[in-house]
Amino acid sequence: MSLGAFLALVSLTLLRGLGIPDSPFGPLSFGLPMMLAFFIALLLTALAAIVIDRILYLRLRRTGPIVLLIAAVGMSFCLRNIIQFIWGPQPQYYFKAIQITRKIPLLGIRIKPDEVFIIIVVALLVISLHFFLQKTKMGKAMRAASDNMELARVSGIDTEKVIMWTWAIAAALAAAGGILAGIEDKFITPDMGWQMLLPIFAAVILGGIGNPYGAMAGGMIIGLSGEISTAFISTAYKPAVAFIIMVIMLIIKPRGLFGTK
Amino acid sequence: MDTFIGILNYLVFFAITAGIYAVLCLGLNIQWGYTGLFNIGIAGFYAVGAYTSALLSGPPPGPLDWRIVGGFQLPWVVGLLGAIIASGIIAFFIGLLTLRLKEDYLAIATIGIAEVIRLILKNEGWLSNTVWGIKHIPSPLHKPIEAGVSSFLKGHPQLSPWLVHFISNAYNWFYLALVLVILGLLYWTSERSIRSPWGRVLKTIREDEAVAAVSGKNVFSFKLQSFVLGAMVMGMAGSLYAHYAKFIDASSFEPLYGTFFIWVMLIVGGSGNSKGAVLGAFVIWGIWAGTEFLTGHFALSGTQAGALRVIVVGVLLELTLLLRPQGILGEEKIVSKMFKK
């Protein structure tokens, strides 16, 4: 069931677009409203994912993984265009003030306060995901279902509930990613999820499909190499760099850096 | 009468576009409908076909072009063949890398190559003239037909205006015939091949790879053949588009028009069925064109109308998957001739 991770990515990197415009109810500056909006957007996106799952994917689950994938791609086009219908294709802004970088005394690097915030949030998310997957009952059930859906069901795990939780968490994480990207880049667009899709796929393949820690490491590698590449080639090719790393990976080690099986 | 000719001329234009989409659908039908290969980078092969054809048989770079290569002014047929070969070569390498792996990898690789191709076309001026695109791509037999039409009109000045209107559109009628002939040939070949032993192996792979492998078939080789053939058909569609539109740029090959629509067409029409593929192309393109007239009646901005129309197509796809997963026509049960008696 590595496809589970894959499916969630396809539709939810695009769903993240939905998570974002949910939030701009007045966070003109980076303050409490933005923090609240962050959590509300996460919840709403998770809810949206569950609703879509109940209406659409639940009925398609028996027909096979690729049909689900097609439905997910279709859904992502729908969601993106709903966003575009409401907000239009032009960028939306959380806040327009420009932040000045500050020097960190010990490390000697310049960084914006926003970026510190992003790093802290990402670290918190990674740690909580780790504890969720390793320590909680639901996290363990999720891993069991990912290994073998049938076996998990036979062992008395409510797989429907597991799938719902998976959607909720994947959607919330995707939304968090979208909001953080919106904070960093200062703007959000309906197709920001699409722009990120290729690097995200590359990251997952690099880390090995079905391995959350591999995905995290893959994400770091892809993200960093994309940014570093801009020193040598046109920035327009940032997504292409991700793709080329992915192709090399497929040739050398198709199971990914940390792939099991 | 003149309005009627106007509508007729629009229908010809509509049918040419839908026919090109039908060619793309037949290509996807070979990959997905027959073999179960999940290609979500159709736009890439389509674009490669269009650009190869445009570079081979298009005019050399004009004074305002950034382009360095291309413009060999070769005959249209050479452009078409070049498009087929170029798309096939790219598909061959993607297939070589990913068809041995699980199906998710093919999906990711195809979407990746399509995006990379789009980025290259958008940024590499020497090859594609970036966003200014390639202009003045010649249409096959355009000059002789136009010359014939104008000399005929000069020889018969007493014709009524609607007839002049009708005859002036002769070139589009010719192009429609060309598209339909190619579509017909592809349809016939596709139907023949799926009924052959080769086609049965593809279907077996779609249903159960292990069974095909146990029967002694080289699953990888068959998948590769199917993938490359499908991509070649897509390249052919690209060439047909380039020579009809006369102008191409990267925006013609966005994932929405280049990939998503074709998937919706095939699934709504009925995958695994060549008739369904062609029908789906005409139905969905009809709905797409029809909604354009409808949204004109509401007070919507251009982008809102566009978004709404995509939502309509998307909902249609989800409804088809839910209510009629086999599509309008569904797959026909094909039995070998040996068993028919």
Side-chain angles (χ1 to χ4, degrees):
Chain A
M1 261 305 279
S2 60
L3 246 150
F6 186 93
L7 267 179
L9 274 175
V10 167
S11 62
L12 292 174
T13 46
L14 297 153
L15 235 182
R16 78 175 5 173
L18 179 77
I20 301 142
D22 273 341
S23 52
F25 59 87
L28 292 168
S29 67
F30 191 87
L32 189 63
M34 187 68 206
M35 302 292 273
L36 282 176
F38 185 89
F39 288 109
I40 294 171
L42 255 56
L43 275 178
L44 284 179
T45 314
L47 204 69
I50 292 176
V51 169
I52 293 168
D53 179 59
R54 291 290 103 177
I55 299 175
L56 186 62
Y57 302 142
L58 177 67
R59 283 162 222 201
L60 295 174
R61 215 160 275 154
R62 260 170 289 124
T63 51
I66 302 268
V67 174
L68 263 177
L69 195 55
I70 296 170
V73 172
M75 203 63 224
S76 74
F77 270 98
C78 279
L79 290 175
R80 201 137 53 87
N81 280 282
I82 290 171
I83 294 166
Q84 188 159 333
F85 184 76
I86 301 171
W87 283 278
Q90 67 278 13
Q92 304 284 324
Y93 299 89
Y94 288 141
F95 34 82
K96 288 200 170 163
I98 293 171
Q99 250 187 342
I100 315 261
T101 56
R102 283 179 208 167
K103 205 162 183 171
I104 295 177
L106 285 174
L107 297 167
I109 48 168
R110 302 189 73 92
I111 194 165
K112 283 184 273 182
D114 277 1
E115 290 168 335
V116 177
F117 171 80
I118 292 170
I119 293 170
I120 293 171
V121 172
V122 169
L124 282 177
L125 286 174
V126 167
I127 293 167
S128 32
L129 182 67
H130 169 79
F131 276 106
F132 174 78
L133 286 175
Q134 299 295 339
K135 303 286 173 202
T136 64
K137 211 167 185 183
M138 183 47 78
K140 284 176 188 167
M142 206 175 273
R143 287 190 298 142
S146 146
D147 275 346
N148 191 331
M149 191 64 98
E150 302 293 317
L151 201 61
R153 201 172 298 143
V154 176
S155 340
I157 293 172
D158 183 353
T159 48
E160 276 305 312
K161 211 169 156 189
V162 168
I163 291 172
M164 264 175 66
W165 270 93
T166 311
W167 275 113
I169 289 167
L173 285 175
I179 297 168
L180 293 179
I183 291 175
E184 168 66 14
D185 296 341
K186 295 281 173 295
F187 62 88
I188 52 175
T189 57
D191 62 349
M192 64 188 295
W194 179 263
Q195 308 286 344
M196 296 288 282
L197 200 59
L198 206 51
I200 290 170
F201 279 149
V204 174
I205 285 199
L206 199 62
I209 290 182
N211 181 340
Y213 308 104
M216 290 170 195
M220 291 301 284
I221 296 171
I222 294 287
L224 284 175
S225 53
E227 296 300 331
I228 291 168
S229 75
T230 55
F232 308 105
I233 54 171
S234 157
T235 41
Y237 285 113
K238 234 198 280 185
V241 171
F243 179 72
I244 287 163
I245 294 178
M246 186 179 87
V247 168
I248 296 170
M249 199 63 203
L250 285 178
I251 298 172
I252 309 173
K253 205 162 178 288
R255 301 258 178 251
L257 283 177
F258 310 99
T260 44
K261 274 189 227 171
Chain B
M1 201 60 195
D2 209 39
T3 7
F4 172 72
I5 298 296
I7 293 170
L8 195 66
N9 285 353
Y10 174 77
L11 283 179
V12 170
F13 160 75
F14 167 83
I16 292 173
T17 321
I20 293 172
Y21 269 112
V23 171
L24 283 167
C25 283
L26 282 180
L28 183 63
N29 191 39
I30 297 172
Q31 295 179 341
W32 167 250
Y34 291 166
T35 328
L37 301 174
F38 192 62
N39 175 0
I40 39 175
I42 303 164
F45 303 107
Y46 186 38
V48 166
Y51 272 87
T52 310
S53 198
L55 291 178
L56 284 176
S57 50
L64 290 173
D65 268 357
W66 294 25
R67 210 146 47 88
I68 298 170
V69 297
F72 300 108
Q73 292 173 297
L74 296 166
W76 167 75
V77 180
V78 180
L80 183 71
L81 288 177
I84 295 170
I85 294 167
S87 301
I89 290 173
I90 290 187
F92 177 77
F93 284 110
I94 296 177
L96 208 60
L97 275 180
T98 52
L99 285 176
R100 279 181 213 277
L101 303 166
K102 271 169 66 185
E103 53 213 343
D104 351 0
Y105 290 94
L106 179 69
I108 297 174
T110 49
I111 203 176
I113 196 79
E115 274 302 285
V116 170
I117 288 169
R118 202 169 63 83
L119 286 175
I120 291 174
L121 295 178
K122 222 171 161 179
N123 294 295
E124 295 305 318
W126 59 274
L127 182 69
S128 64
N129 205 20
T130 64
V131 285
W132 287 279
I134 299 180
K135 295 173 278 281
H136 311 298
I137 303 163
S139 305
L141 294 179
H142 188 255
K143 271 188 192 138
I145 289 177
E146 289 295 313
V149 166
S150 63
S151 75
F152 177 81
L153 289 178
K154 261 185 207 144
H156 302 78
Q158 74 286 8
L159 286 177
S160 52
W162 66 267
L163 207 57
V164 174
H165 194 174
F166 177 72
I167 294 170
S168 315
N169 199 30
Y171 186 75
N172 276 0
W173 282 98
F174 164 75
Y175 207 88
L176 177 62
L178 181 73
V179 170
L180 290 182
V181 165
I182 289 181
L183 185 63
L185 279 174
L186 283 173
Y187 175 84
W188 181 77
T189 324
S190 172
E191 283 289 293
R192 278 298 292 249
S193 53
I194 198 60
R195 288 182 163 79
S196 72
W198 182 79
R200 283 194 289 277
V201 176
L202 294 189
K203 281 193 168 179
T204 316
I205 291 173
R206 184 190 67 189
E207 296 302 327
D208 195 333
E209 269 182 40
V211 169
V214 167
S215 320
K217 304 293 175 194
N218 184 344
V219 171
F220 173 68
S221 157
F222 275 97
K223 274 165 125 181
L224 193 59
Q225 289 169 31
S226 159
F227 188 64
V228 170
L229 279 176
M232 286 172 148
V233 173
M234 290 166 189
M236 199 189 285
S239 171
L240 284 175
Y241 173 75
H243 289 276
Y244 177 64
K246 300 190 181 71
F247 166 80
I248 49 170
D249 67 344
S251 71
S252 323
F253 307 101
E254 300 267 342
L256 174 69
Y257 286 97
T259 302
F260 180 59
F261 270 23
I262 296 138
W263 269 100
V264 178
M265 286 165 178
L266 184 64
I267 287 177
V268 170
S271 64
N273 185 333
S274 308
K275 277 193 210 86
V278 176
L279 178 75
F282 279 83
V283 167
I284 294 297
W285 194 246
I287 289 172
W288 181 252
T291 46
E292 190 172 10
F293 289 113
L294 276 181
T295 47
H297 289 285
F298 303 107
L300 291 171
S301 70
T303 50
Q304 274 189 323
L308 197 64
R309 289 161 68 204
V310 178
I311 297 170
V312 168
V313 173
V315 169
L316 204 69
L317 168 74
E318 308 294 4
L319 285 179
T320 311
L321 287 175
L322 281 177
L323 305 174
R324 201 175 161 79
Q326 74 273 36
I328 299 174
L329 287 180
E331 193 178 347
E332 286 167 11
K333 197 173 176 189
I334 298 163
V335 193
S336 165
K337 272 184 209 147
M338 309 289 226
F339 294 107
K340 258 186 186 166
K341 286 163 196 169

